[in-house]
Amino acid sequence: MTCQQDAQQTAPAEGWLNLHLLGTFEGITSRAVKKRIAQNLYPPDKVRKVTSVGFAGWTYEVHWTALSPDGQRAYLARRGETLEQKVSTVLATQTAEPLQDAPQAEVPAETLQRASGKALRQAAHRAGLVEAFRACQTKAEKVSFAKRHHLPLSSIYRWSRRYDGTAASLLAPPKAGRRMSTTAAAIRQAAVDLYLRPERPTPEQVLHALRTRLGEATPSRATIYRWLTDEQVLGGRGKATYIRWGEKVYRDTCEPIRRRDWSRIPVNGCWVGDHHELDLLVIRQDGTIGRPWLTAWQDGHSRAIVGYTINPQPNSLEIGLALRAGILPTEDEPFQGIPAKVYVDNGKDYRAKLLNGSTVPVFRQSHEDPIWGLFGHLGIATHFCEPYHGKSKPIERFFGTLESGWLCLMKGYCGRSPQHRPEHLAADVKATQEWLQSNGARGERRLMTWWEMEIEVSEAIRAYNRRPHSQIGWNPATQSYYTPAEVYLQGLGATVRLPAREVMDVLILPSATRQVRQDGIHLHKTLYWHPDLAPLIGQEVEVRYHPRDLREVLVLRKGAFAAWAQAQTGAAPFAETEEETEELRAFLAGNARARKEYRERRAALLAANPLAAMVPGTRELAAAGQVIPMPHVTGYDRSVRQAARAKRAMEKRPNPPTHAQSVAVGELIVWEFQRQAQAHSRKEES
């Protein structure tokens, strides 16, 4: 340190204090005073060395103005003065120094952007102090002003030079910071490289690794934590997230997204489809406990759920059934019509042959290739979302709302993660399993059955469609947001593309081949019947059925519509009630009408016998009311087999037609009828 050398003085001069007096006024020991001098806590021009009688031959003296405010007051109190009187006496003869008109520094825009609310309030407070400081006339007033506000006079002068009438000019400029040494920079880079690894080490593990290699040269724990929590040191939050957590987490949390304006698309302009595994544990239809799946379609414009199915495992059939539920009108929902396009996932069930006519590649870039299958036959354009990106489909937000708004209040809710799982869930599952294994003898059923779950989830979706939605507009009439159902009805046009129900069922529903029996069609242990099936008894037909609605089935014969057959229940052994009697009478009357129709048709055919010209005396026998001899001909509808049989018969009999292989089937049959008629006439003559 630099001290004034004065070896001639052996006693304290005016205003200079030795170590003992200085410690007395400051309230510390002489040794503590020496430490402060060694640490340069006193101004160098206020400290000097003087000769003394002691062991070293010299000592320190400190001027009283270098003392703290309390030490100065103690020093002046011993002299019978006060600090304020001393200041006034010193400055009474001095004139106030005018403020320097230094050029005002412009505040960078970066400083304003980084300034926090606390910094802005501090700048406004300083601006008020500067305004009051400039009103002071003499320097004594300014010194007194600084003392009253416990501020250094130099700081107020510095603020006044920077002040240009706005509080923003008094914002503290960003600190330049100390320049890090080369060694420290290398250590920091090594710590960052150890931290940015896919193994995701903690700062404590990084500190331990550095200590193992560097030993005592390792920075402190606080320094390591400060480096590893500073995004600027790590190169940005996105870089650290990508390296430590991978691409998926980076895309979900840090990558910029582009938000779509779905209001620009009309109602039924685009439907968004996806699957979601519900956070519910229920008793399945096979007696096991599991989580159901929800396959849903959402209208992009109104955010309404237009169609959905609840299934144990999603597949392309469930997608088609959910689409069918949204397209076909129902009594309790306003949703109907074919969408112009669909926005679907890249899962294999959405790329299946049932929906697209053929399997579509996963990374399908072109959307102009022809799409057939269900979408193609209905004239629906298909758009596939970005693969492996959950935020690309807006229906994902509905699934979150359904879970947090309704499912969390139902029995069997298991939460989206172990942290959200209820504590009593394990006990509920155990009690339900015991109840299932013992057929109700032990335990307790604490989970919902499949049918109860379907009712609860359906009511939740219905409530969602009729709840105000903050993203689809404000309704001034009700002073609340519109509901998805209201927006859908408002935007639904007068012309809605509606296919026939039979067309939808043929394109979507699974099929089975069955034979029409006398009591009806047997399918899945259920009997189906319709009066229009009576002419088809004994024939095979194609049956289209809904897997979860077996109340009626669609019956096709050779690709043509035959009937809608309803599920039947067995008739009572005896008609005891009036309802059973009327049902039996209607059934018997229907059979009687069918027999009468067939009898009249047979009589008409006999009256206009097409073989009358071939068989002699047929018309006369019919007029006399006698029995008409008819040749035994079978298999008019089995043309191929009968033609082959007739060919073989003609080859064995005399006088067959020449070139039999070129004779038409009809001519062969007529020739057979003629031969039989001639044989009959010869028998009568004999």
Side-chain angles (χ1 to χ4, degrees), residues 326 329-337 462 465-466 485-486 488-489 492:
T330 57
E331 298 179 356
D332 54 346
E333 292 291 351
F335 314 120
Q336 57 181 329
R462 181 180 176 85
N465 287 333
R466 285 156 179 79
E486 293 174 349
Y488 186 91
L489 286 176
L492 191 63

Side-chain angles (χ1 to χ4, degrees), residues 63-99:
H63 198 269
W64 73 274
T65 56
L67 300 178
S68 64
D70 294 336
Q72 293 180 13
R73 287 188 175 87
Y75 170 77
L76 295 175
R78 175 173 291 191
R79 297 174 58 90
E81 299 178 3
T82 61
L83 184 59
E84 289 75 10
Q85 292 175 354
K86 188 67 175 178
V87 173
S88 301
T89 303
V90 174
L91 300 177
T93 59
Q94 301 181 9
T95 57
E97 298 179 1
L99 297 176

Side-chain angles (χ1 to χ4, degrees), residues 470-528:
S470 60
Q471 298 296 323
I472 54 178
W474 178 262
N475 187 359
T478 59
Q479 291 298 310
S480 64
Y481 292 102
Y482 284 104
T483 65
E486 293 174 349
V487 175
Y488 186 91
L489 286 176
Q490 292 176 3
L492 191 63
T495 57
V496 180
R497 292 195 304 155
L498 277 177
R501 181 186 175 188
E502 292 80 4
V503 174
M504 293 293 298
D505 291 347
V506 170
L507 293 175
I508 299 175
L509 298 184
S511 63
T513 302
R514 291 291 186 272
Q515 185 181 26
V516 182
R517 303 180 183 180
Q518 287 185 284
D519 56 349
I521 298 175
H522 294 256
L523 179 67
H524 296 310
K525 300 181 179 181
T526 306
L527 181 64
Y528 296 90

Side-chain angles (χ1 to χ4, degrees), residues 69 73 129 143-153 155-156 159:
R73 287 188 175 87
L129 292 177
V143 172
S144 177
F145 177 84
K147 293 295 182 181
R148 287 198 308 269
H149 293 86
H150 305 285
L151 292 172
L153 191 60
S155 297
I156 303 181
W159 296 345

Side-chain angles (χ1 to χ4, degrees), residues 271-272 294 296-309 325-326 330 332-336 395 398-399 401-402 406 456-470 472 481-490:
W271 285 7
V272 185
L294 174 65
W297 290 95
Q298 184 183 46
D299 180 62
H301 178 83
S302 63
R303 311 294 176 90
I305 303 301
V306 294
Y308 64 92
T309 61
T330 57
D332 54 346
E333 292 291 351
F335 314 120
Q336 57 181 329
I395 195 174
F398 157 73
F399 293 142
T401 302
L402 181 67
W406 286 277
E456 293 288 340
V457 175
S458 300
E459 290 296 328
I461 296 177
R462 181 180 176 85
Y464 167 82
N465 287 333
R466 285 156 179 79
R467 192 182 72 166
H469 200 294
S470 60
I472 54 178
Y481 292 102
Y482 284 104
T483 65
E486 293 174 349
V487 175
Y488 186 91
L489 286 176
Q490 292 176 3

Side-chain angles (χ1 to χ4, degrees), residues 276-597:
H276 179 69
E277 190 174 13
L278 300 180
D279 296 336
L280 288 175
L281 289 177
V282 299
I283 303 175
R284 293 174 177 171
Q285 301 173 357
D286 57 357
T288 61
I289 297 177
R291 295 171 59 182
W293 285 78
L294 174 65
T295 303
W297 290 95
Q298 184 183 46
D299 180 62
H301 178 83
S302 63
R303 311 294 176 90
I305 303 301
V306 294
Y308 64 92
T309 61
I310 304 173
N311 49 84
Q313 188 68 34
N315 49 48
S316 58
L317 175 59
E318 298 297 337
I319 298 171
L321 294 177
L323 186 67
R324 174 182 180 270
I327 292 176
L328 297 180
T330 57
E331 298 179 356
D332 54 346
E333 292 291 351
F335 314 120
Q336 57 181 329
I338 301 176
K341 63 183 68 174
V342 292
Y343 188 61
V344 296
D345 194 85
N346 277 274
K348 63 180 182 180
D349 43 2
Y350 283 97
R351 297 180 286 106
K353 185 177 180 179
L354 173 65
L355 305 178
N356 304 281
S358 62
T359 304
V360 181
V362 178
F363 295 95
R364 183 174 182 269
Q365 301 296 332
S366 175
H367 300 287
E368 299 178 358
D369 298 339
I371 295 292
W372 299 106
L374 174 61
F375 294 148
H377 286 296
L378 296 178
I380 301 175
T382 308
H383 290 267
F384 295 92
C385 69
E386 184 178 358
Y388 310 111
H389 202 293
K391 294 184 179 179
S392 60
K393 302 182 296 298
I395 195 174
E396 297 285 355
R397 185 67 188 90
F398 157 73
F399 293 142
T401 302
L402 181 67
E403 297 284 354
S404 60
W406 286 277
L407 299 188
C408 63
L409 303 177
M410 299 181 185
K411 293 190 300 183
Y413 176 71
C414 58
R416 64 177 183 269
S417 64
Q419 290 77 14
H420 298 84
R421 187 170 300 164
E423 295 182 0
H424 58 80
L425 180 64
D428 294 347
V429 172
K430 183 177 181 180
T432 305
Q433 289 178 343
E434 186 178 0
W435 181 82
L436 291 172
Q437 295 173 359
S438 63
N439 294 327
R442 298 186 308 274
E444 181 182 0
R445 185 175 69 84
R446 300 182 183 178
L447 300 179
M448 292 188 294
T449 63
W450 186 271
W451 313 114
E452 293 173 345
M453 178 272 302
E454 282 190 336
I455 295 175
E456 293 288 340
V457 175
S458 300
E459 290 296 328
I461 296 177
R462 181 180 176 85
Y464 167 82
N465 287 333
R466 285 156 179 79
R467 192 182 72 166
H469 200 294
S470 60
Q471 298 296 323
I472 54 178
W474 178 262
N475 187 359
T478 59
Q479 291 298 310
S480 64
Y481 292 102
Y482 284 104
T483 65
E486 293 174 349
V487 175
Y488 186 91
L489 286 176
Q490 292 176 3
L492 191 63
T495 57
V496 180
R497 292 195 304 155
L498 277 177
R501 181 186 175 188
E502 292 80 4
V503 174
M504 293 293 298
D505 291 347
V506 170
L507 293 175
I508 299 175
L509 298 184
S511 63
T513 302
R514 291 291 186 272
Q515 185 181 26
V516 182
R517 303 180 183 180
Q518 287 185 284
D519 56 349
I521 298 175
H522 294 256
L523 179 67
H524 296 310
K525 300 181 179 181
T526 306
L527 181 64
Y528 296 90
W529 177 255
H530 190 274
D532 294 343
L533 296 178
L536 303 177
I537 293 178
Q539 301 182 19
E540 290 186 350
V541 294
E542 181 183 358
V543 182
R544 296 275 179 170
Y545 62 93
H546 195 294
R548 285 184 296 279
D549 187 5
L550 298 176
R551 291 175 295 182
E552 61 179 359
V553 296
L554 173 64
V555 183
L556 303 175
R557 170 62 179 168
K558 295 183 179 181
F561 173 78
W564 279 103
Q566 284 76 30
Q568 305 292 321
T569 57
F574 304 99
E576 298 178 353
T577 63
E578 183 178 355
E579 182 180 358
E580 294 174 351
T581 303
E582 292 295 332
E583 182 180 355
L584 179 59
R585 289 176 179 175
F587 179 79
L588 296 177
N591 290 343
R593 285 193 301 270
R595 291 194 301 270
K596 181 179 179 181
E597 179 183 354

